[in-house]
Amino acid sequence: MNVYPYLVAVFLLVIGAFGIARSHNLIHAVGCLSVAQAGTYVLLLAVGYQHGAGAPVFGSPASTPTRNVSDPFVQAMALTDVVVSATVTALLLALSVQIGKRHGTVDPDELSALQG
Amino acid sequence: MPTFDHGAADIPALAITIPILVACLLVAFGRRIPRPVVDSVALAAALTVLGLLAALLASSSHGRVVSWTARWVPEHGYSVGIVLVADPVGAGVAVLAAALVALALLYSWHYLSSVSGHFHALMLLFLAGMVGFALTGDLFNMFVFFELMGASAYALTGMKIEDPTAVQGALNFGIINSLGAYVSLSGVALLYARVGNLSLPQLSAALAGHRPDALLIAGFVAVSTGFLVKGALAPFHFWLADAHAVAPAPVCVLFSGVMVPLGLYGALRVYWIVFARVFPHGEIRRAFLVLGVLTALVGAVMCFGQRHFKRLLAYSTIAHVGLFVVAAGLLSASGTAGALLYIAGHAGVKAALFLLGGVMLDRYGGVDEVELWGRGRDARVIPWLFVAGGIALAGLPPFGTGLGKAVSEEAGSHAGYGWFPVLFVAVSAITGGAVLRATGRVYFGLGADPRSRAHGSETSGSHERSDVDQPLRRVPLTMLVPIVGLLLGALAVGVLPGAHTAAEYAAGYFLDSGGYTAQALGSAGHVLHQTPLPNWTGLGVGLGLLSAALALAIAAVALYPPKLRVGERTTRVARAPIIALHRIHSGHVGDYVAWMFVGIAALSALVALPLQR
Amino acid sequence: MTRGLRLLLFAGGAAATVVLLVFGVLGLPHFGSSFHPYRDHAVPAAVSHKTANVVSSINFDLRGLDTFGEETILLASVVGAAVLLRPAEDEDEKRPLSGGRILDSTRLVGYLLLPVTLLIGLDTVLHGALTPGGGFQGGVVLGTGIHLLYVAGSYQALERARPEDLFEYGEALGTGAFACVGIAGLLAGAGFLGNLLPQGAFGSLLSSGSVLLLSAAVGVEVASGVVVLLARFLDQALRVGKDTPR
Amino acid sequence: MNLLIIAALTLVAIAAVVVVFTDDPARQAVTLSVFGLLLAILFMVLQAPDVALSQIAVGTAVVPLMIMLAVRKVRGRQ
């Protein structure tokens, strides 16, 4: 059980990529890409977790800072990552919309403009 | 504390921030001010950054310039901050990026009027991403700037939204690069869990001499994957042809000239600083050589089979990426120096050719050498620039491409790989020959009219959308100056005395992982010894002339095919693998994802299997 | 490539990748272990700058350059999406949203939630140095919150509340402010993005020095960015014209 | 190991499969939103309230909304 969270993270990365490979719709593929990215959040946060520790926030003025908290750096990375993913997803969706407009389809099997 | 010049230590952060600040101004006010002002402001920003970085490069040649952001300097070898480290290679790549952005902005003076302001802002953000990626000494920070390069690059690729191929190429590029980045980030997480820090010097210090266990192999392969996707190493290279073929010409200049080499820079930087003292060199060298040769061959064959001129150039970039990887993959100072010179020379030549491709598109409304046969016969200057670019791509001395090729060949032969000159001559002759063939058809009307026997399932480029509003009647000076400047720059790399010496010296710093680590963590930097080396040797000049002559011969044979008495069956058998190779490049993003995982598998097998024994 | 072949190829590559990564993660410290050297250094560093939320301290102080880069990614993506979703040369004008009856109760919920959401968003931004939250989280809440007006069925009200130009300024202003704080650090000799403001008392609202300022800058930028992005997508969704694909 | 964490991880993994196999992108926006919510819960139990907050805002609201709008645009055209 000590590696279950890590295995789930790997699973998310690969299943998301699988979703893109089998996708019939580019918008669906972009959705799958965000599943793959969720794998990286889970991996990061699992790496930073510590049994019995608290969140790295010393909420009230009374609470004294202690080192018995989970790793804040992985949380900062995951936070950065969440924002990056949202904006890049927006960009990719914008491109999908334009593909739909220009090709009349968003099925990658029917797009044949870039062969050879 | 390291004794560094505080003035130079501030430059890396400034060089990242200035383009971002100016981009903010352009986003806010770009649509309200006249276009010439937008052009001038953006160009001035790029030139300012170029000046700063040139000063940084000069300063870094006396030792690395180290700065910890917000002054979180290491205490007892540990820091919580981010370190920026400028060594000659990092600063040099950043200079290249700024110079190419400046020339690309000059070229686009009359360009893409519908996105004025936003286009310039994206170019400057792209520049900030490249400079940050080149100068940072922190693995997660590398990832951040990698994504910044990505986000601006996807948008720049798909900029011509009326063009169906442009948006498709941009999406393929975006999906594959993002997925690669996520694989990289997983690797970053693995390394972080092991070491507890992500600055390259601290990773290096913690891992030096460590046994190469499964976690480190997985971390190395995963981190490298994202960078090698950007670096277009086969089989991660598929997105490149799609993106380059459709992006506006000045954007292609940045992609081929510096973004793709930056991918390789990232992979090699991480390898040298973090892993060089973990993995035995033999295994890593084999991995780089195998994938590099594969990339070079695939690129060369695909390049020669194209009729879409920008796609032809894109595959030629893939072929040259293969050569860079083969040279740098020797894992020696001389091999790295060869790759550096080759990258610099190639950047000038390839950027000039992409801009020439842009001129062709704007003038004749297409880039299909078959459709445009003989259309350019009235042009006077442009055809000769094409010829110069093609022959320089083939490695004619004294162009920088020729020098990089010569130095790489000698480094390879010296290391006992006798096949190096054969590969380099063949690949550069084929790619140069392809450019000369296209030039011969379009601008000189050579050969038989190809339209009669053209067959049409491949990407032709006859429906490409022009980048300007009206077809050009004559080529304006703002387009001509960057083209000539780039070719002269490529020439300068090979002509300036001391180019080889400087490259070897820069490579020395790049490979010196112990020195990098010690200096970044606080000890005084030491200056490496400089050995004067001649630029050209007789053998190098000879091989350069040979590949240039071969390129001309290949172009001639392609234009006037000799009537060979070969049975139809033989031709079919010979063509089958080439057709299969073309089929693999399908433009289907699902295929590219599948190939990416095959690539990860190949890379891990090449690295891990020999280590098991 | 046929679909079967593609999936087969993927299966082969992915199987090897899974083997690689699984062997890799087996070498990780066990889940929940107490090996966190960065944490051990970051907590005292954050406390020394009077920042109670260590995650915010890392984002805006210890590793501010990451966040600066990330804000720039946001700026690039928003500018990029705005460029990509601009009305093409050959497109016709926008049609108003047709049909779509909206229940009065939905409308009411929308209007009621709006001020609540905006307040929560603002609070999250300002308390980022103290409690979970900060510029990102609050900014997204603010940017999305305004779109409750759309849920309330009033696209016109939404368009009035959200002049896009203003938010493009906001976008540029947020990133620009971040850059200026960075350069101010350089000028003051505290290093790029150095934390030079007075840092107040640990746990009070105005503690943590420039962390608060940077968090607010990010809040402005993220809120504006989300508004511009959603506005562009909404605009596209409503611009269903007769431009047939070529 | 905490049962709560195991449960949250398992739910996230199952939701991921559901998202990937929801072929219709309009429905996928809905499943993705649920997936985002489950992720946020997981982050909460992994002691990361900061990440959970932004995940709720981004993963359950903004991204699915943009997907919905993109689908609407593409559908409106076909």
Side-chain angles (χ1 to χ4, degrees):
Chain A
M1 272 339 254
N2 279 324
V3 289
Y4 184 56
Y6 306 143
L7 296 180
V8 169
V10 172
F11 174 75
L12 291 181
L13 186 72
V14 174
I15 193 88
F18 173 68
I20 304 173
R22 69 176 281 282
S23 183
H24 284 299
N25 184 312
L26 290 172
I27 298 178
H28 172 263
V30 174
C32 293
L33 187 67
S34 56
V35 172
Q37 189 171 23
T40 63
Y41 314 149
V42 174
L43 184 60
L44 282 169
L45 294 180
V47 158
Y49 178 80
Q50 177 173 335
H51 286 307
V57 179
F58 308 111
S60 64
S63 72
T64 40
T66 141
R67 289 187 185 179
N68 191 21
V69 290
S70 55
D71 193 329
F73 186 15
V74 292
Q75 302 193 6
M77 285 195 271
L79 196 55
T80 307
D81 208 16
V82 168
V83 183
V84 168
S85 97
T87 56
V88 171
T89 305
L91 210 46
L92 297 179
L93 284 174
L95 287 167
S96 313
V97 164
Q98 290 298 346
I99 290 178
K101 225 186 253 186
R102 298 296 147 192
H103 294 264
T105 174
V106 285
D107 184 346
D109 294 327
E110 291 171 16
L111 298 171
S112 56
L114 291 167
Q115 281 172 353
Chain B
M1 276 307 301
T3 49
F4 52 70
D5 172 13
H6 278 277
D10 286 347
I11 293 180
L14 278 178
I16 296 167
T17 313
I18 289 173
I20 296 177
L21 256 181
V22 176
C24 289
L25 288 177
L26 290 176
V27 169
F29 305 109
R31 277 176 299 169
R32 283 165 200 77
I33 47 182
R35 173 66 192 251
V37 180
V38 173
D39 280 321
S40 325
V41 169
L43 186 59
L47 288 174
T48 310
V49 174
L50 178 60
L52 282 171
L53 289 170
L56 182 68
L57 179 61
S59 175
S60 73
S61 63
H62 309 296
R64 301 178 187 86
V65 179
V66 174
S67 55
W68 289 86
T69 57
R71 291 268 184 279
W72 289 103
V73 288
E75 285 167 28
H76 310 294
Y78 197 98
S79 169
V80 288
I82 294 173
V83 66
L84 298 172
V85 181
D87 65 355
V89 173
V93 180
V95 165
L96 179 65
L100 290 182
V101 168
L103 287 171
L105 283 170
L106 181 62
Y107 178 88
S108 27
W109 205 262
H110 298 287
Y111 234 61
L112 297 163
S113 55
S114 55
V115 289
S116 149
H118 282 156
F119 168 73
H120 301 76
L122 283 171
M123 291 287 268
L124 290 176
L125 295 176
F126 191 29
L127 174 61
M130 293 190 288
V131 172
F133 187 76
L135 297 182
T136 187
D138 186 282
L139 200 50
F140 185 67
N141 203 232
M142 276 180 110
F143 169 81
V144 169
F145 284 116
F146 183 88
E147 285 279 25
L148 175 57
M149 281 196 274
S152 25
Y154 314 148
L156 285 167
T157 309
M159 195 133 246
K160 291 186 282 176
I161 53 173
E162 286 85 10
D163 185 342
T165 55
V167 281
Q168 192 193 343
L171 188 73
N172 287 355
F173 175 25
I175 289 184
I176 295 303
N177 266 260
S178 302
L179 196 59
Y182 303 155
V183 175
S184 272
L185 187 59
S186 309
V188 172
L190 290 179
L191 295 176
Y192 176 74
R194 169 63 60 81
V195 172
N197 198 295
L198 283 176
S199 78
L200 297 180
Q202 288 172 88
L203 284 168
S204 172
L207 294 177
H210 202 288
R211 197 176 57 83
D213 59 10
L215 185 145
L216 291 179
I217 294 172
F220 170 67
V221 171
V223 169
S224 305
T225 297
F227 296 153
L228 293 179
V229 168
K230 189 81 88 194
L233 195 67
F236 303 120
H237 67 285
F238 292 91
W239 64 269
L240 185 144
D242 294 356
H244 280 60
V246 300
V251 175
C252 291
V253 165
L254 304 182
F255 285 6
S256 261
V258 61
M259 180 184 79
V260 170
L262 266 174
L264 303 179
Y265 163 86
L268 286 163
R269 169 72 84 197
V270 171
Y271 168 72
W272 278 112
I273 305 301
V274 180
F275 292 104
R277 295 185 284 175
V278 175
F279 295 117
H281 282 195
E283 275 67 34
I284 304 295
R285 182 181 301 128
R286 178 167 44 212
F288 278 134
L289 291 186
V290 168
L291 294 180
V293 170
L294 178 72
T295 310
L297 295 179
V298 168
V301 171
M302 289 300 294
C303 170
F304 201 74
Q306 299 300 314
R307 51 192 273 196
H308 180 299
F309 188 68
K310 278 162 75 190
R311 212 168 157 83
L312 181 152
L313 292 178
Y315 280 113
S316 132
T317 295
I318 294 175
H320 281 89
V321 158
L323 297 183
F324 305 154
V325 170
V326 167
L330 286 173
L331 304 184
S332 67
S334 50
T336 308
L340 289 173
L341 291 168
Y342 213 161
I343 286 173
H346 171 263
V349 172
K350 186 57 66 65
L353 283 169
F354 266 116
L355 292 183
L356 286 166
V359 169
M360 188 199 285
L361 175 63
D362 295 339
R363 183 86 195 253
Y364 307 115
V367 286
D368 178 5
E369 67 173 79
V370 172
E371 282 292 317
L372 296 181
W373 179 69
R375 280 284 294 282
R377 263 184 282 214
D378 56 329
R380 279 171 303 142
V381 185
I382 294 291
W384 297 105
L385 292 175
F386 266 97
V387 171
I391 205 127
L393 192 64
L396 180 76
F399 278 101
T401 38
L403 180 60
K405 173 171 157 295
V407 172
S408 308
E409 285 161 347
E410 276 174 49
S413 313
H414 201 71
Y417 298 101
W419 47 266
F420 256 61
V422 181
L423 178 79
F424 277 73
V425 167
V427 168
S428 47
I430 292 173
T431 51
V435 170
L436 292 174
R437 180 200 66 204
T439 310
R441 282 211 177 118
V442 176
Y443 285 98
F444 297 93
L446 298 180
D449 186 345
R451 277 167 290 194
S452 50
R453 54 195 173 84
H455 44 86
S457 76
E458 71 266 68
T459 307
S460 66
S462 50
H463 303 295
E464 184 113 348
R465 299 275 302 210
S466 168
D467 301 327
V468 289
D469 303 334
Q470 300 288 322
L472 292 179
R473 290 179 171 271
R474 51 185 297 279
V475 183
L477 211 58
T478 49
M479 290 188 167
L480 211 52
V481 167
I483 296 172
V484 176
L486 284 163
L487 286 173
L488 288 178
L491 200 60
V493 172
V495 172
L496 285 183
H500 186 187
T501 312
E504 194 95 8
Y505 178 67
Y509 276 105
F510 193 66
L511 269 54
D512 175 22
S513 122
Y516 182 103
T517 303
Q519 196 187 340
L521 293 181
S523 59
H526 59 282
V527 180
L528 292 182
H529 182 62
Q530 200 163 357
T531 11
L533 294 161
N535 267 5
W536 295 94
T537 62
L539 185 65
V541 173
L543 287 171
L545 291 174
L546 173 67
S547 59
L550 269 177
L552 283 169
I554 288 172
V557 170
L559 290 169
Y560 300 99
K563 293 211 166 35
L564 293 177
R565 296 201 166 273
V566 194
E568 196 177 314
R569 191 136 162 251
T570 329
T571 349
R572 220 172 17 196
V573 172
R575 282 186 61 85
I578 296 181
I579 291 173
L581 194 61
H582 276 265
R583 289 249 169 84
I584 286 175
H585 293 78
S586 58
H588 191 298
V589 68
D591 289 355
Y592 295 180
V593 170
W595 283 113
M596 187 171 127
F597 278 82
V598 171
I600 301 175
L603 196 58
S604 17
L606 282 166
V607 175
L609 293 184
L611 287 173
Q612 299 306 306
R613 272 184 265 121
Chain C
M1 213 184 314
T2 64
R3 188 176 161 76
L5 194 59
R6 168 164 65 246
L7 293 182
L8 201 66
L9 196 67
F10 178 84
T17 308
V18 167
V19 170
L20 173 83
L21 290 176
V22 166
F23 272 103
V25 299
L26 289 179
L28 285 175
H30 278 182
F31 178 70
S33 88
S34 56
F35 173 75
H36 298 292
Y38 192 93
R39 183 240 0 234
D40 299 340
H41 289 84
V43 171
V47 171
S48 78
H49 281 186
K50 310 285 192 293
T51 313
N53 181 347
V54 188
V55 179
S56 289
S57 173
I58 293 176
N59 271 329
F60 299 115
D61 191 344
L62 311 188
R63 295 181 59 98
L65 185 59
D66 282 342
T67 307
F68 183 42
E70 185 243 296
E71 286 317 288
T72 313
I73 298 173
L74 181 63
L75 179 68
S77 302
V78 171
V79 173
V83 167
L84 294 173
L85 294 179
R86 71 184 186 269
E89 288 160 13
D90 48 1
E91 249 173 341
D92 44 352
E93 276 308 296
K94 163 163 58 176
R95 273 195 243 153
L97 184 60
S98 56
R101 287 179 305 113
I102 289 142
L103 294 174
D104 280 343
S105 52
T106 320
R107 191 180 299 240
L108 186 67
V109 170
Y111 278 124
L112 279 181
L113 278 179
L114 180 64
V116 178
T117 322
L118 295 187
L119 276 178
I120 294 176
L122 214 57
D123 182 74
T124 318
V125 172
L126 292 179
H127 284 86
L130 296 177
T131 57
F136 307 113
Q137 298 92 332
V140 181
V141 173
L142 284 174
T144 327
I146 295 180
H147 288 80
L148 281 169
L149 281 175
Y150 179 67
V151 176
S154 175
Y155 188 68
Q156 284 78 13
L158 178 62
E159 281 203 318
R160 272 199 306 277
R162 186 214 56 181
E164 252 185 76
D165 286 356
L166 188 67
F167 286 99
E168 278 203 4
Y169 283 127
E171 178 74 16
L173 181 74
T175 317
F178 209 115
C180 289
V181 172
I183 291 183
L186 274 188
L187 293 179
F192 185 71
L193 286 168
N195 190 345
L196 16 106
L197 296 179
Q199 284 151 2
F202 188 81
S204 71
L205 177 61
L206 290 176
S207 60
S208 73
S210 53
V211 170
L212 182 66
L213 193 63
L214 291 177
S215 179
V218 168
V220 170
E221 157 155 36
V222 172
S224 314
V226 169
V227 169
V228 174
L229 281 179
L230 287 179
R232 287 295 168 138
F233 275 100
L234 264 175
D235 184 62
Q236 280 288 325
L238 299 181
R239 198 186 285 271
V240 181
K242 58 172 190 255
D243 50 318
T244 42
R246 299 198 303 175
Chain D
M1 196 166 97
N2 195 323
L3 275 181
L4 207 57
I5 297 180
I6 296 183
L9 282 166
T10 312
L11 281 176
V12 164
I14 294 170
V17 176
V18 174
V19 172
V20 165
F21 285 91
T22 311
D23 280 336
D24 176 9
R27 285 167 197 274
Q28 197 202 27
V30 179
T31 50
L32 197 64
S33 171
V34 175
F35 174 71
L37 191 65
L38 289 170
L39 269 180
I41 294 172
L42 174 66
F43 297 165
M44 213 59 210
V45 280
L46 286 177
Q47 307 155 347
D50 273 286
V51 190
L53 260 179
S54 50
Q55 174 61 30
I56 286 190
V58 168
T60 61
V62 177
V63 169
L65 184 57
M66 286 190 303
I67 290 186
M68 288 288 241
L69 292 172
V71 172
R72 189 187 146 98
K73 173 68 180 176
V74 172
R75 287 272 161 79
R77 187 160 300 276
Q78 281 171 349

